[in-house]
Amino acid sequence: MTRTDDLTVEEALARVLAGVPVLEAERLPLSEALGRVLAEPVAARESLPPFANSAMDGYALRAADVSGASRESPAVLQVVGDIAAGAAPEMVVGPGQAVRIMTGAPLPEGADAVVPVEMTGEPWRDSDRPLPGEIEVYGAVAPHDYVRFPGEDIEAGQEILTAGRVLRPQEIGVLASLGVGHVPVIRRPRVGVLATGDELIGVEEPLRPGKIRNSNGYTQEAQIRALGAVPVPLGIAHDTEAAVQEKLAQGLESRVDLFVSSAGVSVGAYDVVKSVLEAEGNIGFWRVRMRPGKPLAFGAYQGIPYLGLPGNPVSALISFERFARPAILKMAGHTALERPRVRVTLQDEISSDGRETYARAVVSREEGGAYVARLTGRQGSHVMTSLVEANALVIVPEGVRHVAAGAQLEALMIDWPPSVF
Ligand code: AMP
Ligand code: MG
């Protein structure tokens, strides 16, 4: 059945998100898990640090032995050993004794603190440092000083990462330090990309009268890749049912999780996509009250979610931003689906037709910390250059037809460092 609904951006987004699933998990080696979302919580099987170790190069000793030490009256201790990082010492530090110890080396039995070498009489700046027979200590330390105790950071059994966590370099590092070499993460969405239209030719084909190059296919593949998802290029379908069907069948065979198409969804132009999806799925055609954008189709083809974006390159890119991007992120297990927004002061005026308008702009930070936005030029939905210049989309809310320079609005930052890779 075909429906045509008139929706706000928020309503349309809510419907798209409700129509896509979170994908299942796969187990990956840690070195391939960057940017992925954890599918299950991870509990530590080991403590971190795993054993008491020195935080400094210095001497392990009994704090009581140096309680009154100062530069004027140093404590003098007998040096009974030397422990390098990686060693497993067996000596015991008795009263009046010390053991030289390197950062990360295990604290020997009997010792309860470390004095840094800088607080001792050892000439620590020299490269050649034979083990002295005794050592002068010039200051007091308390028990536990300069010692890292086992489990101080993480206790064995503790849940360290919850399901839904995005694995950044620091999460990868924590997992590695705990001996977790494989992790359950949500798999990458595979997104079929289809361009429709009789006017389209390939990027490297010679131009012919009436033809334009299929740029949307490339833009969308890049947008998908930038989210850490896998684009499955389906090429160009000419405006016949058979052509569209063939491409969609190809997508099913490539096991796509979502179809994204461009063009063929505006009134009067969508018959082909419409009849194919009606025959083997379902489709809703929406008039979304946004600019650029407006026509949007969403449904499913043989059970696979299908998102039809408008054909104009700028509308296609911005509609992808607003609808396909959050949908793909959701499928990949993410819960932070929105780009960051900042409040900006406009340097130019903006007019709108009352739809929620996305104006291409450069947002920059002024001295003092305020953000300002300058429009990047002509805002027609076929004008790509103003997108190339832009790092943000300034949002004019629905119902507003004119915003003067100097006014404040929200900007969607499409270029801030992404949290996925
Ligand atoms: P339509 O949605 O089919 O009415 O197309 C709207 C506009 O977008 C027309 O000017 C099309 O030529 C253009 N267009 C459609 N598909 C693409 C594409 N894949 N790449 C570039 N422009 C396109
Ligand atoms: Mg068309």
Side-chain angles (χ1 to χ4, degrees):
M1 211 200 76
T2 311
R3 310 173 305 269
T4 304
D5 293 349
D6 201 347
L7 303 174
T8 65
V9 172
E10 243 168 87
E11 288 163 346
L13 178 59
R15 288 201 194 177
V16 170
L17 290 176
V20 297
V22 177
L23 299 179
E24 50 315 336
E26 63 182 345
R27 224 171 122 72
L28 281 189
L30 197 51
S31 54
E32 291 170 26
L34 180 66
R36 297 297 198 93
V37 177
L38 263 188
E40 293 164 24
V42 177
R45 285 171 306 191
E46 300 168 356
S47 292
L48 195 68
F51 53 86
N53 69 89
S54 179
M56 300 287 277
D57 290 344
Y59 284 84
L61 43 67
R62 294 162 175 262
D65 284 347
V66 295
S67 61
S70 66
R71 193 156 282 278
E72 295 71 41
S73 78
V76 180
L77 302 178
Q78 181 198 2
V79 177
V80 296
D82 199 13
I83 309 173
E90 296 197 342
M91 75 276 279
V92 178
V93 178
Q97 295 183 331
V99 164
R100 189 160 71 175
I101 192 165
M102 300 301 138
T103 304
L107 193 74
E109 234 189 283
D112 61 7
V114 169
V115 283
V117 66
E118 295 88 333
M119 282 173 64
T120 72
E122 187 178 345
W124 53 279
R125 286 181 203 277
D126 296 355
S127 55
D128 177 32
R129 291 161 54 200
L131 191 67
E134 40 177 56
I135 190 76
E136 291 189 331
V137 177
Y138 299 135
V141 285
H144 297 193
D145 277 0
Y146 303 107
V147 178
R148 308 155 172 164
F149 282 92
E152 215 176 77
D153 189 357
I154 294 167
E155 296 269 14
Q158 191 184 330
E159 180 176 304
I160 38 163
L161 296 173
T162 51
R165 268 294 185 134
V166 180
L167 300 181
R168 301 170 300 167
Q170 50 269 57
E171 282 79 23
I172 303 266
V174 168
L175 292 165
S177 67
L178 291 167
V180 180
H182 287 77
V183 277
V185 292
I186 305 295
R187 70 175 174 83
R188 291 182 196 277
R190 297 172 58 76
V191 185
V193 177
L194 178 63
T196 69
D198 279 342
E199 73 275 38
L200 301 178
I201 57 171
V203 171
E204 293 188 316
E205 281 183 62
L207 270 182
R208 304 196 298 278
K211 303 295 183 191
I212 59 162
R213 302 190 198 285
N214 166 25
S215 64
N216 288 343
Y218 285 81
T219 311
Q220 289 170 359
E221 283 171 38
Q223 287 180 300
I224 291 161
R225 213 181 290 282
L227 292 173
V230 181
V232 178
L234 299 175
I236 300 165
H238 290 292
D239 290 326
T240 67
E241 279 181 37
V244 171
Q245 218 147 20
E246 188 199 317
K247 296 294 183 189
L248 296 182
Q250 205 180 308
L252 293 178
E253 204 161 292
S254 307
R255 301 182 334 277
V256 301
D257 303 298
L258 170 72
F259 286 104
V260 171
S261 70
S262 60
V265 290
S266 48
V267 177
Y270 58 71
D271 284 352
V272 172
V273 172
K274 174 182 154 187
S275 43
V276 171
L277 285 168
E278 276 186 336
E280 295 179 68
N282 64 78
I283 189 83
F285 283 89
W286 303 341
R287 277 189 299 266
V288 182
R289 297 199 292 275
M290 70 185 286
R291 195 178 78 144
K294 192 168 176 178
L296 195 71
F298 184 70
Y301 179 72
Q302 298 210 0
I304 303 298
Y306 184 105
L307 182 59
L309 305 179
N312 270 310
V314 176
S315 312
L317 187 143
I318 293 178
S319 301
F320 186 106
E321 264 294 325
R322 293 306 281 130
F323 304 110
R325 182 179 185 276
I328 292 168
L329 287 175
K330 178 188 169 182
M331 295 176 98
H334 290 270
T335 48
L337 306 180
E338 287 273 335
R339 297 278 198 188
R341 290 172 186 235
V342 295
R343 198 135 189 95
V344 295
T345 303
L346 295 180
Q347 292 187 318
D348 307 294
E349 60 173 358
I350 308 180
S351 15
S352 164
D353 61 1
R355 283 181 281 165
E356 183 168 302
T357 294
Y358 293 82
R360 287 147 260 172
V362 175
V363 168
S364 53
R365 192 171 176 275
E366 289 206 313
E367 232 174 275
Y371 288 94
V372 295
R374 175 176 57 73
L375 298 190
T376 52
R378 285 176 301 127
Q379 300 284 321
S381 58
H382 61 294
V383 181
M384 289 293 277
T385 44
S386 48
L387 254 182
V388 168
E389 298 299 322
N391 66 355
L393 299 169
V394 172
I395 304 174
V396 182
E398 195 176 1
V400 176
R401 287 172 187 274
H402 185 262
V403 189
Q408 293 209 331
L409 285 180
E410 271 195 336
L412 202 59
M413 301 303 303
I414 55 173
D415 231 17
W416 268 9
S419 56
V420 290
F421 307 88

PDB file of all heavy atoms in Angstrom, residues 196-200 239 262-266 269-270 311, ligand 2:
ATOM      1  N   THR A 196      18.693   6.032  -9.349  1.00  0.00           N
ATOM      2  CA  THR A 196      17.673   5.772 -10.367  1.00  0.00           C
ATOM      3  C   THR A 196      17.524   6.979 -11.285  1.00  0.00           C
ATOM      4  O   THR A 196      17.658   8.123 -10.842  1.00  0.00           O
ATOM      5  CB  THR A 196      16.292   5.465  -9.747  1.00  0.00           C
ATOM      6  OG1 THR A 196      15.791   6.659  -9.145  1.00  0.00           O
ATOM      7  CG2 THR A 196      16.375   4.382  -8.689  1.00  0.00           C
ATOM      8  N   GLY A 197      17.271   6.723 -12.542  1.00  0.00           N
ATOM      9  CA  GLY A 197      17.008   7.823 -13.480  1.00  0.00           C
ATOM     10  C   GLY A 197      17.569   7.537 -14.863  1.00  0.00           C
ATOM     11  O   GLY A 197      18.711   7.094 -14.999  1.00  0.00           O
ATOM     12  N   ASP A 198      16.757   7.816 -15.884  1.00  0.00           N
ATOM     13  CA  ASP A 198      17.191   7.610 -17.271  1.00  0.00           C
ATOM     14  C   ASP A 198      18.274   8.595 -17.684  1.00  0.00           C
ATOM     15  O   ASP A 198      18.955   8.388 -18.682  1.00  0.00           O
ATOM     16  CB  ASP A 198      15.982   7.790 -18.214  1.00  0.00           C
ATOM     17  CG  ASP A 198      15.122   6.536 -18.263  1.00  0.00           C
ATOM     18  OD1 ASP A 198      15.639   5.463 -17.861  1.00  0.00           O
ATOM     19  OD2 ASP A 198      13.958   6.630 -18.692  1.00  0.00           O
ATOM     20  N   GLU A 199      18.397   9.703 -16.917  1.00  0.00           N
ATOM     21  CA  GLU A 199      19.369  10.719 -17.307  1.00  0.00           C
ATOM     22  C   GLU A 199      20.785  10.387 -16.835  1.00  0.00           C
ATOM     23  O   GLU A 199      21.740  11.081 -17.169  1.00  0.00           O
ATOM     24  CB  GLU A 199      18.946  12.092 -16.748  1.00  0.00           C
ATOM     25  CG  GLU A 199      19.117  12.291 -15.241  1.00  0.00           C
ATOM     26  CD  GLU A 199      17.945  11.783 -14.401  1.00  0.00           C
ATOM     27  OE1 GLU A 199      17.379  10.727 -14.747  1.00  0.00           O
ATOM     28  OE2 GLU A 199      17.618  12.436 -13.394  1.00  0.00           O
ATOM     29  N   LEU A 200      20.935   9.323 -16.047  1.00  0.00           N
ATOM     30  CA  LEU A 200      22.224   9.096 -15.390  1.00  0.00           C
ATOM     31  C   LEU A 200      23.195   8.282 -16.229  1.00  0.00           C
ATOM     32  O   LEU A 200      22.819   7.286 -16.850  1.00  0.00           O
ATOM     33  CB  LEU A 200      22.012   8.387 -14.049  1.00  0.00           C
ATOM     34  CG  LEU A 200      21.121   9.125 -13.051  1.00  0.00           C
ATOM     35  CD1 LEU A 200      20.947   8.294 -11.791  1.00  0.00           C
ATOM     36  CD2 LEU A 200      21.688  10.497 -12.731  1.00  0.00           C
ATOM     37  N   ASP A 239      14.683   4.034 -15.589  1.00  0.00           N
ATOM     38  CA  ASP A 239      13.320   4.173 -15.096  1.00  0.00           C
ATOM     39  C   ASP A 239      12.378   3.098 -15.628  1.00  0.00           C
ATOM     40  O   ASP A 239      11.344   3.400 -16.213  1.00  0.00           O
ATOM     41  CB  ASP A 239      12.781   5.576 -15.432  1.00  0.00           C
ATOM     42  CG  ASP A 239      13.478   6.658 -14.590  1.00  0.00           C
ATOM     43  OD1 ASP A 239      13.826   6.383 -13.436  1.00  0.00           O
ATOM     44  OD2 ASP A 239      13.677   7.767 -15.115  1.00  0.00           O
ATOM     45  N   SER A 262      18.538   7.062  -4.578  1.00  0.00           N
ATOM     46  CA  SER A 262      18.318   8.492  -4.794  1.00  0.00           C
ATOM     47  C   SER A 262      17.469   8.683  -6.028  1.00  0.00           C
ATOM     48  O   SER A 262      17.552   7.916  -6.986  1.00  0.00           O
ATOM     49  CB  SER A 262      19.650   9.240  -4.939  1.00  0.00           C
ATOM     50  OG  SER A 262      20.370   8.748  -6.031  1.00  0.00           O
ATOM     51  N   ALA A 263      16.651   9.698  -5.964  1.00  0.00           N
ATOM     52  CA  ALA A 263      15.746  10.130  -7.039  1.00  0.00           C
ATOM     53  C   ALA A 263      14.546   9.205  -7.182  1.00  0.00           C
ATOM     54  O   ALA A 263      14.472   8.149  -6.562  1.00  0.00           O
ATOM     55  CB  ALA A 263      16.470  10.279  -8.367  1.00  0.00           C
ATOM     56  N   GLY A 264      13.620   9.678  -7.996  1.00  0.00           N
ATOM     57  CA  GLY A 264      12.432   8.867  -8.249  1.00  0.00           C
ATOM     58  C   GLY A 264      11.455   8.848  -7.102  1.00  0.00           C
ATOM     59  O   GLY A 264      10.614   7.962  -7.015  1.00  0.00           O
ATOM     60  N   VAL A 265      11.561   9.807  -6.178  1.00  0.00           N
ATOM     61  CA  VAL A 265      10.594   9.815  -5.080  1.00  0.00           C
ATOM     62  C   VAL A 265       9.757  11.088  -5.046  1.00  0.00           C
ATOM     63  O   VAL A 265       8.913  11.242  -4.184  1.00  0.00           O
ATOM     64  CB  VAL A 265      11.274   9.624  -3.687  1.00  0.00           C
ATOM     65  CG1 VAL A 265      11.802   8.208  -3.565  1.00  0.00           C
ATOM     66  CG2 VAL A 265      12.369  10.643  -3.436  1.00  0.00           C
ATOM     67  N   SER A 266      10.022  12.005  -6.011  1.00  0.00           N
ATOM     68  CA  SER A 266       9.206  13.221  -6.004  1.00  0.00           C
ATOM     69  C   SER A 266       7.900  12.945  -6.746  1.00  0.00           C
ATOM     70  O   SER A 266       7.810  12.024  -7.553  1.00  0.00           O
ATOM     71  CB  SER A 266       9.967  14.382  -6.646  1.00  0.00           C
ATOM     72  OG  SER A 266      10.519  13.979  -7.857  1.00  0.00           O
ATOM     73  N   ALA A 269       7.302  11.409 -10.305  1.00  0.00           N
ATOM     74  CA  ALA A 269       8.517  10.791 -10.827  1.00  0.00           C
ATOM     75  C   ALA A 269       8.751   9.409 -10.263  1.00  0.00           C
ATOM     76  O   ALA A 269       9.687   8.733 -10.627  1.00  0.00           O
ATOM     77  CB  ALA A 269       9.719  11.682 -10.510  1.00  0.00           C
ATOM     78  N   TYR A 270       7.911   8.963  -9.353  1.00  0.00           N
ATOM     79  CA  TYR A 270       8.266   7.781  -8.571  1.00  0.00           C
ATOM     80  C   TYR A 270       7.570   6.502  -9.000  1.00  0.00           C
ATOM     81  O   TYR A 270       7.667   5.498  -8.312  1.00  0.00           O
ATOM     82  CB  TYR A 270       8.036   8.039  -7.086  1.00  0.00           C
ATOM     83  CG  TYR A 270       6.639   8.422  -6.683  1.00  0.00           C
ATOM     84  CD1 TYR A 270       5.612   7.486  -6.707  1.00  0.00           C
ATOM     85  CD2 TYR A 270       6.371   9.716  -6.248  1.00  0.00           C
ATOM     86  CE1 TYR A 270       4.338   7.840  -6.331  1.00  0.00           C
ATOM     87  CE2 TYR A 270       5.093  10.078  -5.868  1.00  0.00           C
ATOM     88  CZ  TYR A 270       4.077   9.146  -5.910  1.00  0.00           C
ATOM     89  OH  TYR A 270       2.822   9.490  -5.528  1.00  0.00           O
ATOM     90  N   GLY A 311      16.533  13.234  -5.433  1.00  0.00           N
ATOM     91  CA  GLY A 311      17.596  13.127  -6.440  1.00  0.00           C
ATOM     92  C   GLY A 311      18.569  14.292  -6.463  1.00  0.00           C
ATOM     93  O   GLY A 311      19.762  14.107  -6.737  1.00  0.00           O
TER      94      GLY A 311
HETATM   95 MG    MG B   2      14.192  11.156 -12.025  1.00  0.00          MG
END
